[in-house]
Amino acid sequence: VKFQDEPKMKLRVCVATCNRADYSKLAPIMSGIKFHPDEFELEVVVLGSHLIDDYGNTFRMIEQDDFDISSKLHTIVRGEDEAAMVESVGLALVKLPDVLQRLHPDVLIVHGDRFDALALATAAALMNIRILHLEGGEVSGTIDDSIRHAITKLAHYHACCTRSAEQHLIAMCEDHSRILLAGCPSYDKLLSVHDREDYKDIIKCWLVHDLIKSIDACFALVVLKNNIFPIFDICFPTLEMVRVMRKKGIEQHPNFRAVKHVPFEQFIQLVCHAGCMIGNSSCGVREAGAFGTPVINLGTRQTGRETGENVLHVRDADTQNKIYHALELQFGKRYPCSKIYGDGNAVPRILKFLRTIKLDEPLQKTFCFPPVKDSFSQDIDHILETQSALAVDLGGTNLRVAIICMRGNIVKKYTQPNPKTYEARIQLILQMCADAIRDAVVLNCRILGVGISTGGRVNPQEGVVLHSTKLIQEWSSVDLRTPISDALHLPVWVDNDGNCAALAERKFGHGKGVENFVTIITGTGIGGGIIQHHELVHGSTFCAAELGHIMVSLDGPECMCGSRGCIEAYASGMALQREAKRLHDEDLLKVEGMDMKLVEPVTAVHLINAARLGNSKAEAVLNTASTALGVGITNILHMVNPSLVILSGVLASYYQAPVQHIISSRALSSTQGIKIVKSDLEEPALLGAASMVLDYTTRRIY
């Protein structure tokens, strides 16, 4: 007997849209689902600002797109404060259960990071409805991040837009098999309809009639009473914006319009052909990049989002001048088109993903936690343990590891000779760290992570030593983060020893609370770090603050970098040792009263002692070294204009006074008063390595 195949059950998909912005992402998916009625059954729930007149009653565009709306929920409590937002979430949670129970969807599709979406995800999760979350894993700013990540934890499936977002979801312990790197669904429509021949007609209908002649420029700027106005619209203004516009009379300006809603297809043409887009909308850092449209992003709302080169951030938009200057830089430019957020094929991928959902699988979601070596129950000792970091300092001679607590106290330190080969060095680092972690339990210290300070050029974003100094062999193109993190099951940070010294001063030393300062290490070599606006400057190729290689002479002594006339070739411990040996070989170093054993190696200390006892040759060498360092620091003052210079290292106490004198006599008058201070920190490299861990894991800026 031949039996016919049983008809396949349709997947009931409920798409919930809260506002015009999320509908632009959801509409292409809704169209794709509707186009396959044999596989899917579409239900549409509309809530939030869609149903508010102040926002244009945008639910009508859903009806115009020929979608049947299954339910409309008025969930917005009027008000501009946080309390209204909380009340709106509560109202949505009261109304949603009846709707979801009636529709009984197999999957609820929720988008983004709005408070309305949080209410949807909460209700669905508590009612055992599978959730597909769009655009999770992204990082922006304000409360949006917390809401987005909260929805991620409630959702069972994820369709994200970028590779970074995918990695963030994995890091948040989401099941990799339930994460789809789809791209942004709005790009499917955006890339297919933006190149329309009637774009000029669309722009004409939104421009002021008298300014249609400016259409080829798309936008223009008019300066009126020291205010710059775009000849176009402010879309979706908040009540606070409306109040300010009315107060300043901007609404009456003939070149200005404020609109509640622009249809998406028309909005695409406006964004595509605009001379500049300004504001804090995610559209500026996402969709506008697809056309290369210049964007000025104001404030911190989108901080952390991936952007193309078309976006210029004005995060501290506290003065009109900053915004004017940004407009001068951006207006009328055209940048390469960016497809960071999509390639126009998101919807087919999402539909294919939906087809893989098996309704007979257990509904309870599972999390992919990383392996944990030692599990112990919570007790009072664990609660009271000291938050600490494991700091590693890789020097030319020694390898040091320390347990450092939040206040900068070194709880315990370990020192071993630095091996000459890569394999032996990595093995020793892991062994010393493992010993320290075991001791930390006894010392009641909770290790939050590992910070590594090393010589050479470092990519801190990847945790890779790019190029090493000659003092550390087999140490170029070395990934430090991966093997150490994998072995110890701890997060790992890596940076150059000079940068670590600056970080140490910022957290524990003279740089605490100082917005702009420079730290200079005067030891075997010369290095340092630059702090600008409380943040470390790394540079485009991670070689910022190579202060020892500032050239102060066109034809000076040869430096280890291969050049000549560098500060390091004059003022480093190695340079002074070289000159001390030269004087010693010429029998010009030792003077009466100087204690120097025959078998004792000649060092910079002997040179300094000889100078203090009146040796004119030694004095001349040190005077040249001090002048070179002073001139180099003067150049730094003229370039980055810090408010403080901190000298660190074994030679700092000797150089402080002469360098201050040289700056007073040679620097511009505006910088002559900048103080040169000696560091009070005994272990800047270790403390800086620890600060990378402690600042990041306690939610501070690094």
Side-chain angles (χ1 to χ4, degrees):
V1 179
K2 186 176 181 180
F3 295 97
Q4 291 184 342
D5 292 337
E6 293 184 7
K8 185 178 179 181
M9 294 289 292
K10 295 181 183 180
L11 189 71
R12 292 175 60 87
V13 181
C14 178
V15 178
T17 173
C18 311
N19 54 62
R20 175 209 56 82
D22 77 18
Y23 180 66
S24 69
K25 318 293 178 69
L26 293 168
I29 301 174
M30 293 161 61
S31 296
I33 292 172
K34 187 177 179 181
F35 191 71
H36 294 86
D38 55 329
E39 296 181 89
F40 304 106
E41 187 175 333
L42 176 65
E43 303 285 354
V44 180
V45 174
V46 173
L47 65 160
S49 60
H50 274 308
L51 304 171
I52 302 297
D53 182 63
D54 290 346
Y55 293 94
N57 284 321
T58 50
F59 73 90
R60 293 195 181 100
M61 68 180 179
I62 302 174
E63 296 174 334
Q64 290 168 3
D65 288 342
D66 200 26
F67 290 116
D68 295 327
I69 297 176
S70 306
S71 184
K72 297 176 185 174
L73 294 179
H74 292 269
T75 58
I76 296 296
V77 175
R78 298 300 181 100
E80 290 287 301
D81 59 1
E82 293 83 356
M85 189 187 305
V86 176
E87 290 171 1
S88 297
V89 172
L91 183 58
L93 287 172
V94 169
K95 293 186 174 184
L96 279 168
D98 287 342
V99 173
L100 294 176
Q101 198 164 36
R102 173 170 56 84
L103 298 178
H104 194 60
D106 297 318
V107 178
L108 174 70
I109 298 181
V110 177
H111 168 270
D113 49 31
R114 292 276 300 176
F115 58 86
D116 322 72
L118 178 61
L120 282 161
T122 302
L126 291 173
M127 296 181 70
N128 292 322
I129 297 171
R130 290 171 171 82
I131 302 166
L132 169 61
H133 183 211
L134 302 181
E135 297 187 8
E138 296 183 16
V139 178
S140 55
T142 66
I143 191 64
D144 296 354
D145 277 345
S146 298
I147 294 176
R148 186 185 308 109
H149 300 332
I151 297 172
T152 290
K153 304 318 294 179
L154 292 169
H156 304 79
Y157 307 95
H158 313 274
C160 58
C161 297
T162 69
R163 183 71 63 185
S164 293
E166 180 187 35
Q167 293 302 312
H168 292 159
L169 290 171
I170 294 170
M172 292 164 68
C173 306
E174 295 299 313
D175 187 345
H176 197 174
S177 67
R178 294 191 171 193
I179 300 171
L180 170 69
L181 178 54
C184 183
S186 67
Y187 269 55
D188 290 30
K189 195 170 186 179
L190 182 134
L191 295 175
S192 64
V193 304
H194 81 277
D195 193 17
R196 288 172 51 166
E197 293 181 358
D198 63 342
Y199 77 89
K200 288 187 178 182
D201 295 331
I202 293 172
I203 296 175
K204 282 181 182 180
C205 77
W206 291 100
L207 280 176
V208 181
H209 179 71
D210 294 338
L211 293 166
I212 291 177
K213 61 185 179 181
S214 301
I215 192 161
D216 288 333
C218 300
F219 277 23
L221 291 176
V222 175
V223 180
L224 178 67
K225 294 181 182 178
N226 295 323
N227 288 302
I228 292 182
F229 296 98
I231 299 178
F232 198 58
D233 315 74
I234 293 290
C235 296
F236 327 113
T238 65
L239 293 178
E240 181 61 28
M241 289 174 65
V242 171
R243 283 194 287 268
V244 172
M245 289 189 293
R246 287 175 178 167
K247 183 178 179 181
K248 292 183 176 290
I250 296 174
E251 285 184 312
Q252 308 305 316
H253 194 279
N255 296 342
F256 178 88
R257 289 181 62 190
V259 297
K260 295 179 181 178
H261 169 62
V262 180
F264 184 69
E265 291 81 357
Q266 298 181 32
F267 183 69
I268 289 172
Q269 304 306 314
L270 301 179
V271 173
C272 177
H273 299 284
C276 187
M277 186 175 184
I278 183 168
N280 69 357
S281 169
S282 62
C283 175
V285 299
R286 296 171 65 97
E287 284 82 358
F291 312 122
T293 301
V295 172
I296 299 169
N297 180 56
L298 302 179
T300 59
R301 185 177 174 220
Q302 304 300 336
T303 298
R305 280 202 192 274
E306 297 171 78
T307 66
E309 58 183 288
N310 63 308
V311 179
L312 176 63
H313 294 279
V314 185
R315 292 192 173 93
D316 188 14
D318 55 347
T319 66
Q320 291 180 343
N321 286 337
K322 289 182 182 179
I323 302 174
Y324 291 170
H325 185 56
L327 282 165
E328 290 173 354
L329 292 172
Q330 287 286 80
F331 187 79
K333 279 188 176 182
R334 194 55 44 176
Y335 290 90
C337 297
S338 167
K339 293 186 179 179
I340 294 174
Y341 286 94
D343 59 2
N345 296 300
V347 172
R349 295 186 184 110
I350 291 172
L351 294 180
K352 185 177 180 181
F353 191 53
L354 285 170
R355 293 185 185 104
T356 66
I357 294 177
K358 297 179 180 178
L359 300 180
D360 56 351
E361 285 185 348
L363 183 63
Q364 178 64 48
K365 70 177 289 188
T366 57
F367 300 98
C368 298
F369 295 108
V372 178
K373 264 195 170 181
D374 300 315
S375 178
F376 48 86
S377 60
Q378 183 91 322
D379 56 32
I380 192 64
D381 289 334
H382 177 50
I383 296 170
L384 296 178
E385 66 186 354
T386 305
Q387 290 185 318
S388 304
L390 215 55
V392 180
D393 176 35
L394 283 146
T397 305
N398 291 322
L399 172 57
R400 300 183 302 155
V401 173
I403 302 169
I404 298 177
C405 70
M406 191 67 71
R407 294 183 179 179
N409 297 326
I410 297 178
V411 180
K412 190 168 184 178
K413 186 166 62 176
Y414 312 76
T415 303
Q416 292 284 350
N418 194 347
K420 301 300 182 184
T421 65
Y422 164 79
E423 290 81 4
R425 190 174 298 126
I426 288 291
Q427 187 175 359
L428 182 59
I429 291 172
L430 294 175
Q431 182 60 54
M432 293 175 71
C433 287
D435 292 343
I437 290 170
R438 280 194 294 272
D439 291 345
V441 176
V442 179
L443 296 167
N444 205 34
C445 294
R446 183 185 180 191
I447 302 299
L448 301 175
V450 182
I452 302 175
S453 165
T454 181
R457 187 163 67 95
V458 175
N459 178 345
Q461 297 170 3
E462 303 294 334
V464 173
V465 181
L466 300 173
H467 298 292
S468 178
T469 65
K470 293 182 179 179
L471 298 175
I472 308 178
Q473 301 171 11
E474 297 186 19
W475 208 238
S476 294
S477 301
V478 172
D479 179 2
L480 276 181
R481 175 175 295 157
T482 302
I484 296 175
S485 181
D486 288 349
L488 302 179
H489 303 294
L490 287 170
V492 175
W493 288 263
V494 188
D495 213 329
N496 166 271
D497 52 4
N499 288 335
C500 285
L503 292 173
E505 295 293 342
R506 185 184 71 176
K507 186 170 182 65
F508 303 113
H510 291 300
K512 194 171 185 178
V514 180
E515 184 175 6
N516 304 302
F517 69 90
V518 173
T519 297
I520 298 174
I521 301 176
T522 57
T524 305
I526 300 288
I530 299 172
I531 299 291
Q532 285 277 56
H533 305 301
H534 300 292
E535 294 188 15
L536 187 63
V537 177
H538 282 105
S540 60
T541 57
F542 312 107
C543 65
E546 286 289 352
L547 308 180
H549 300 292
I550 294 175
M551 285 187 282
V552 292
S553 171
L554 295 178
D555 190 25
E558 185 176 359
C559 180
M560 287 187 70
C561 70
S563 185
R564 288 184 174 274
C566 299
I567 296 175
E568 187 169 291
Y570 285 103
S572 67
M574 291 181 66
L576 297 183
Q577 184 181 38
R578 180 194 67 222
E579 292 301 303
K581 287 181 178 178
R582 179 181 63 79
L583 292 177
H584 181 262
D585 292 343
E586 296 173 4
D587 203 22
L588 297 174
L589 180 63
K590 193 172 181 181
V591 295
E592 186 178 350
M594 184 175 174
D595 183 19
M596 187 173 181
K597 299 176 182 178
L598 291 175
V599 295
E600 187 178 6
V602 179
T603 66
V605 174
H606 296 114
L607 187 74
I608 294 171
N609 289 339
R612 286 173 175 165
L613 292 171
N615 186 322
S616 60
K617 299 288 185 181
E619 287 177 350
V621 170
L622 290 172
N623 182 58
T624 300
S626 300
T627 302
L629 182 59
V631 169
I633 293 176
T634 300
N635 292 335
I636 295 169
L637 299 184
H638 293 168
M639 284 188 290
V640 298
N641 194 27
S643 58
L644 180 68
V645 175
I646 304 169
L647 294 182
S648 180
V650 294
L651 297 172
S653 58
Y654 174 79
Y655 280 133
Q656 181 183 3
V659 166
Q660 186 78 69
H661 174 73
I662 291 165
I663 290 171
S664 300
S665 60
R666 295 200 179 200
L668 292 173
S669 58
S670 58
T671 62
Q672 287 179 359
I674 293 174
K675 291 294 183 185
I676 310 295
V677 300
K678 174 184 169 295
S679 174
D680 293 333
L681 303 178
E682 293 184 4
E683 298 285 1
L686 286 171
L687 290 173
S691 77
M692 292 190 288
V693 178
L694 300 174
D695 281 353
Y696 189 89
T697 54
T698 54
R699 304 300 190 271
R700 298 183 183 177
I701 295 173
Y702 167 58

